[in-house]
């Protein structure tokens, strides 16, 4: 079983690897369950041309694969920086119990990573956001949700 510092050091190893090898931005993360690292990742946005390849997402995906489950209940995330809104959502969806981070989102903004506008957009009505979200009525929407609700063999999450 490691310490917070040891797990954060592993996250920083991932971040430095991303920076030093032009894999992505200066971010790294590890997922720990029962004292064992089950997922790790560095930012891979630029090398994979994937805007969702943040360190936390990479680590969560690896952890889920390691335990063959989308539910990471009981696990902890150690990350080099306060998670962005996308990663924050993934943390909640994965049921991670605790997050330890070093740099803040404000410190990340000081070096060019501006996630605060996304935090702000979340409190604005969808149609008033900088990127408008336009509700469109569709005749299959009710049917789709009804089928899900009535499905007896669904895997709930």
């Amino acid at each position: 079983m490691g310490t917070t510092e040891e797990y954060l050091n592993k996250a920083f190893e991932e971040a430095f690897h991303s920076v030093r090898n032009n894999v992505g931005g200066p971010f790294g993360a590890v997922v720990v369950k029962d004292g064992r690292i089950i997922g790790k990742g560095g930012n891979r946005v630029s090398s994979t041309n994937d805007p969702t390849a943040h360190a936390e997402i990479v680590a969560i995906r690896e952890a889920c694969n390691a335990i063959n489950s989308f539910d990471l209940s009981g696990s902890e995330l150690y990350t080099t920086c306060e998670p962005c809104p996308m990663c924050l959502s993934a943390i909640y969806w994965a049921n991670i119990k605790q997050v330890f981070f070093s740099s803040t989102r404000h410190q990340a903004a000081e070096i060019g990573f501006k996630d605060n506008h996304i935090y702000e957009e979340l409190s604005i009505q969808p149609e008033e956001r900088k990127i408008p979200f336009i509700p469109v009525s569709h005749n299959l929407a009710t049917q789709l949700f009804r089928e899900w609700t009535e499905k007896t063999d669904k895997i709930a999450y």
Side-chain angles (χ1 to χ4, degrees), residues 113-145:
F113 293 91
K114 302 192 184 320
D115 297 331
N116 276 336
H117 75 283
I118 301 171
Y119 281 101
E120 292 165 5
E121 288 282 302
L122 293 173
S123 63
I124 299 171
Q125 288 298 313
E127 33 311 304
E128 295 173 11
R129 293 179 181 149
K130 288 182 181 153
I131 299 174
F133 285 66
I134 303 157
V136 179
S137 180
H138 195 283
N139 62 344
L140 294 177
T142 303
Q143 177 186 342
L144 177 63
F145 277 15

Side-chain angles (χ1 to χ4, degrees), residues 12-68:
F12 276 101
E13 284 178 23
E14 293 294 319
F16 280 113
H17 173 80
S18 290
V19 170
R20 292 172 180 162
N21 295 285
N22 291 322
V23 176
F27 307 101
V30 297
V31 176
V32 175
K33 185 167 180 143
D34 300 325
R36 187 172 64 88
I37 294 175
I38 59 171
K40 60 186 179 179
N43 183 287
R44 299 179 185 169
V45 170
S46 58
S47 63
T48 61
N49 294 318
D50 179 356
T52 69
H54 290 198
E56 297 89 344
I57 300 296
V58 172
I60 288 169
R61 287 175 180 160
E62 187 174 289
C64 289
N65 284 331
I67 67 168
N68 197 32

Side-chain angles (χ1 to χ4, degrees), residues 66-126:
I67 67 168
N68 197 32
S69 175
F70 56 81
D71 187 357
L72 297 176
S73 290
S75 64
E76 301 167 334
L77 180 79
Y78 296 80
T79 181
T80 59
C81 189
E82 181 179 0
C84 75
M86 175 185 67
C87 295
L88 178 66
S89 296
I91 289 162
Y92 277 96
W93 288 329
N95 297 310
I96 291 172
K97 74 174 183 179
Q98 243 175 331
V99 176
F100 298 86
F101 67 94
S102 291
S103 300
T104 68
R105 67 182 190 229
H106 306 291
Q107 290 169 311
E110 290 173 6
I111 63 165
F113 293 91
K114 302 192 184 320
D115 297 331
N116 276 336
H117 75 283
I118 301 171
Y119 281 101
E120 292 165 5
E121 288 282 302
L122 293 173
S123 63
I124 299 171
Q125 288 298 313

